Amino acid sequence: MMLSLKAAARCGTALVLSSVLTACALPGVGPRSISPSRMNYNDAISKSWDEQLLLNLVRVRYGESPLFVDITAINASMAASANAGVGLNFIDNGSRERINSVGVEVRDAPVISYNYLQGEAFAKHVLTPLTPSIIEPLTRSGWSAERLLLCCIETVNGIDNDVPDRDRFGRVADLMGELQTARLLRINSTADRRIVLTIRSMNPMAVELRHMLGLDPNEERFDLVDGVQHTPHSIAMQGRSVLAVFHGLGYAVEVPPGDTNKVVQLINSDGVEVDSRLLTSQLLRVQSGDKEPDTAQVKVNVRGHWFWIDDTDLNSKLTLSLLRMLLFIKSVDRPSYAPVITIPAQ
């Protein structure tokens, strides 16, 4: 039924005569959103990765199983619309009221997909030992041989990265790091796919390293092999799995005073408890407390306590970065699976 203007006025009806622009695309919104949205996603993903790493370190300290959840996809959509209108409101006394309206709406509606490691993927990704073929490209990328040995290697030429051999192993790692810094030690691959460690010096540190590893004192090039069998012409390294790396670094988590009976303790062969800092002081320190820290680079709240790595602790931040790099490297040959959880973010 149609009402005339006079009838509308008599009935006190609000009649809007409008010119409306609805769902109007705003030019340039898409391109302008790329830089800020990409950086925001980058920051959020990087922060969540560090938090997950720290959370799993705390979990293994408390004797719990770690869980690794991957972000498999982010589908972000940016929608923008604008509308404008003008109308008249007829009031019972015959007067008219003008109505203006303008609106702009911009919506970011990402869909985030997650997957967690399980079954064969978990075994290949987390339980398979690291090998010299992984160590070689990391040293060439600038990672310290000392940090790589202390984190990733279980034995080198029969010297264990554990009590009671830790002091000897630590000295081997320190010598390799010093010689690498002086550009006197290098690990590289050959055309026939061998990994070779070269010591280009006869200075006291190089002599000491050769002696500790039982190497030929007159040679410079030694095959770097995976395993425990070594000769005077080779260096045998047995790598840790990523899970073993987590367990080793888990001892760096400082335990709140009331939780000492809830965590895994470091015990030597005589059954005596050993200070866990013996294994981790050169690599990592995870502080704990009841108050949320102000200067943390990464922090998590677990069991009612805060655990964090301080932003000024460069050594610990580098080790956490290496841990993330190891997970990335091990994921390269992992088969892809459909996401198990897909969440539209509102």
Side-chain angles (χ1 to χ4, degrees):
M1 180 180 68
M2 299 293 293
L3 291 176
S4 66
L5 293 182
K6 290 183 179 180
R10 286 196 302 269
C11 297
T13 303
L15 179 64
V16 178
L17 305 174
S18 61
S19 171
V20 181
L21 178 64
T22 306
C24 173
L26 299 181
V29 168
R32 287 199 302 270
S33 72
I34 290 176
S35 180
S37 63
R38 183 173 184 174
M39 294 305 102
N40 289 339
Y41 282 121
N42 188 300
D43 288 342
I45 292 171
S46 178
K47 180 181 178 181
S48 69
W49 255 110
D50 286 346
E51 289 172 345
Q52 178 173 246
L53 293 174
L54 181 56
L55 173 62
N56 281 324
L57 287 171
V58 175
R59 281 175 173 163
V60 298
R61 186 70 164 110
Y62 278 86
E64 301 173 359
S65 299
L67 179 65
F68 299 92
V69 178
D70 283 347
I71 299 174
T72 59
I74 299 177
N75 296 314
S77 61
M78 180 73 68
S81 63
N83 62 76
V86 60
L88 296 174
N89 185 21
F90 291 89
I91 306 174
D92 288 342
N93 61 13
S95 62
R96 292 177 296 177
E97 179 183 22
R98 181 174 175 175
I99 304 172
N100 298 314
S101 65
V102 177
V104 177
E105 180 183 19
V106 179
R107 292 187 300 111
D108 184 10
V111 177
I112 304 173
S113 299
Y114 300 90
N115 201 344
Y116 65 93
L117 290 177
Q118 56 182 323
E120 180 186 356
F122 183 85
K124 291 185 66 176
H125 193 61
V126 179
L127 300 181
T128 304
L130 301 166
T131 64
S133 63
I134 292 178
I135 301 299
E136 182 263 336
L138 287 172
T139 58
R140 292 179 62 187
S141 300
W143 286 99
S144 164
E146 178 184 13
R147 191 179 305 275
L148 289 170
L149 260 67
L150 293 174
C151 279
C152 308
I153 301 302
E154 190 65 31
T155 66
V156 55
N157 279 22
I159 303 174
D160 292 334
N161 187 6
D162 203 348
V163 290
D165 261 356
R166 175 61 182 210
D167 288 342
R168 292 176 64 213
F169 190 96
R171 180 56 181 165
V172 168
D174 180 58
L175 288 169
M176 284 194 177
E178 291 288 343
L179 289 169
Q180 180 192 28
T181 301
R183 299 183 179 275
L184 299 176
L185 181 145
R186 187 175 65 178
I187 301 174
N188 62 286
S189 57
T190 63
D192 56 356
R193 298 186 177 181
R194 292 184 302 121
I195 308 297
V196 176
L197 186 146
T198 304
I199 306 174
R200 299 181 181 277
S201 175
M202 291 295 177
N203 73 18
M205 288 191 300
V207 171
E208 182 183 358
L209 179 61
R210 288 187 181 91
H211 175 72
M212 291 190 72
L213 296 179
L215 300 175
D216 188 323
N218 299 313
E219 286 194 21
E220 287 191 349
R221 292 165 59 86
F222 305 92
D223 284 334
L224 191 59
V225 298
D226 182 24
V228 295
Q229 298 295 326
H230 61 93
T231 71
H233 313 288
S234 65
I235 299 172
M237 289 187 179
Q238 186 175 33
R240 290 174 169 173
S241 66
V242 172
L243 186 59
V245 173
F246 269 90
H247 280 285
L249 292 176
Y251 289 113
V253 177
E254 295 180 357
V255 182
D259 285 0
T260 53
N261 62 337
K262 302 176 183 178
V263 300
V264 177
Q265 301 292 352
L266 184 61
I267 306 297
N268 65 15
S269 57
D270 297 324
V272 179
E273 184 177 330
V274 178
D275 187 351
S276 61
R277 287 175 295 183
L278 175 67
L279 295 182
T280 60
S281 60
Q282 295 171 268
L283 295 170
L284 181 67
R285 182 191 179 194
V286 178
Q287 301 182 59
S288 66
D290 295 328
K291 183 180 178 182
E292 183 175 2
D294 297 325
T295 60
Q297 185 263 338
V298 56
K299 57 187 175 183
V300 292
N301 190 282
V302 184
R303 294 171 171 257
H305 306 289
W306 284 99
F307 297 88
W308 71 91
I309 293 174
D310 196 86
D311 196 32
T312 62
D313 187 354
L314 179 60
N315 188 49
S316 295
K317 291 195 295 184
L318 285 173
T319 298
L320 194 70
S321 179
L322 174 60
L323 195 53
R324 189 201 294 195
M325 183 65 66
L326 293 175
L327 285 168
F328 286 166
I329 292 173
K330 293 290 288 182
S331 69
V332 170
D333 59 352
R334 194 183 79 209
S336 59
Y337 295 93
V340 295
I341 306 174
T342 301
I343 302 176
Q346 300 296 330

